[in-house]
Amino acid sequence: MKKLISIALAVLCVAALFTGCAKQLQGQVATDGSTSMEKVIGALGESFMAANSGVTFTYNPTGSGSGIQAVSEGRCDIGLSSRALKDEEKASGLVGTTVALDGIAIIVNPENPVSDLSVEQIASIYTGEITNWKDVGGNDAEIVLIGREAGSGTRDGFESITGTEDKCQYRQELTSTGDVITTVSQNPDAIGYASLSAVKDTVKALTVGGVAPTEDTVKDGSYVIQRPFVLVTKDGTKLSEAAQKFFDYALSADAAPIIAAAGAVAAN
C-alpha cells in the first residue's frame, strides 16, 4: 500500500512539472529612495515582474535620505541610495550593497557654448569664486547654480568629489533629478548636475577634464565624477522570499545588460 502511495505521489509530481503547476513566486517587493535610480530600478523591476507574474514590484522615488530612513524604519523592503552609506548609518545596522555605478553628468543648456570644464573649475563655479560664464570661455552672463536638496545622494556624490561640501552657492535646490534637468533646459545661463542615466537631449552634458560621461569612462574610472547605486537592507531583518529573489536577481549577471540599457554600469 505504501509503495502504491509513493508511486502515485511521484506521478503527481511529474504531472505538476509538465502542466506548469509548480509553485509560482508570489508577493510584493517594495523599494523606496533615490530618484536618480529611477531608470535602473524601474527596468529591473519590470524585468523581474515579467519573469515572475505573481510578484508586484513598487518603487517610491523619495530621494536617497528618505529611502535609507524608510528601510531603517521597516517601511519598505529595500532602500535605494545613490551614495555610499555613512559610518553612522552602518553603525545603526544598515547594509549597503552596490548594484551599479553611475556618472554624475554636469549639464548646461544646449545654447551654452561651453563644452568642457575641469573639476577645479566646477568647484570654483559652485562655491561662487567664478560667477560669470565668460571666465570659463562662455558668454558674458551670470552663472545660475542649480543643485539638489540636502539629503540627495546625487548632491552628496557631487559635493564629495568636487570638495564643495557645505560651500555651494545654489540659486535653486530641487527635489528630483527630473526637476534639475527641466530647469537647466529652460535657462541658457544655468548649470546643474544629474545622473548620467537620466540625462536627456534637452540639456548638454559637459566633458570633465576632456572626458565625456559614458558607460565606458565610468567603468574604467577616467570619468571622475561618479558614485555608486546602492541597495540598502537592514542587518538581522530577513527579506521576504520575493524581495530576496529580486535582490539576488539585481546583482546577477542576467541583470547586467538591463542595467547597461538604463544608462548605468553593473557592479557585477
Side-chain angles (χ1 to χ4, degrees):
M1 186 69 173
K2 288 182 178 180
K3 186 175 181 181
L4 288 173
I5 292 173
S6 297
I7 293 171
L9 288 173
V11 170
L12 287 172
C13 288
V14 172
L17 289 173
F18 280 97
T19 56
C21 293
K23 183 183 176 184
Q24 185 185 52
L25 185 64
Q26 301 281 341
Q28 180 171 329
V29 182
T31 65
D32 189 309
S34 170
T35 62
S36 298
M37 291 177 68
E38 180 175 5
K39 278 192 175 182
V40 168
I41 207 69
L44 289 174
E46 286 180 13
S47 175
F48 187 72
M49 284 194 294
N52 299 278
S53 59
V55 174
T56 300
F57 181 90
T58 61
Y59 160 60
N60 190 19
T62 59
S64 295
S66 295
I68 291 168
Q69 185 174 357
V71 75
S72 179
E73 296 174 353
R75 292 186 282 109
C76 69
D77 297 303
I78 300 170
L80 307 171
S81 176
S82 50
R83 63 166 174 79
L85 291 181
K86 298 176 180 177
D87 289 341
E88 58 267 29
E89 291 165 342
K90 294 177 184 177
S92 73
L94 297 180
V95 179
T97 304
T98 299
V99 66
L101 299 173
D102 178 59
I104 300 176
I106 308 304
I107 57 173
V108 296
N109 188 281
E111 296 178 16
N112 193 321
V114 173
S115 59
D116 179 78
L117 292 172
S118 67
V119 173
E120 292 74 22
Q121 286 175 316
I122 294 166
S124 294
I125 286 171
Y126 268 89
T127 56
E129 294 174 44
I130 296 175
T131 59
N132 195 299
W133 281 112
K134 69 180 180 180
D135 295 328
V136 289
N139 299 322
D140 184 3
E142 181 186 359
I143 302 173
V144 178
L145 302 178
I146 307 300
R148 289 291 304 278
E149 82 287 3
S152 158
T154 311
R155 172 168 167 168
D156 183 88
F158 170 80
E159 293 184 355
S160 296
I161 294 163
T162 57
T164 57
E165 299 98 327
D166 302 320
K167 299 175 185 176
C168 291
Q169 305 295 310
Y170 295 113
R171 175 78 63 87
Q172 287 182 271
E173 298 178 39
L174 304 175
T175 57
S176 77
T177 294
D179 287 344
V180 172
I181 292 171
T182 298
T183 301
V184 173
S185 73
Q186 296 172 347
N187 188 332
D189 301 323
I191 186 171
Y193 49 79
S195 169
L196 174 59
S197 62
V199 172
K200 305 174 182 178
D201 57 10
T202 54
V203 293
K204 179 172 72 175
L206 302 181
T207 58
V208 176
V211 179
T214 67
E215 180 181 341
D216 288 341
T217 59
V218 170
K219 193 170 187 176
D220 67 22
S222 58
Y223 185 78
V224 297
I225 304 182
Q226 60 170 277
R227 44 67 189 277
F229 278 170
V230 178
L231 303 180
V232 184
T233 53
K234 195 170 184 179
D235 190 27
T237 300
K238 186 177 180 181
L239 292 174
S240 68
E241 183 183 7
Q244 185 64 58
K245 290 282 188 184
F246 172 78
F247 185 91
D248 295 340
Y249 167 69
L251 298 172
S252 72
D254 291 337
I258 295 167
I259 292 170
V265 179
N268 298 314

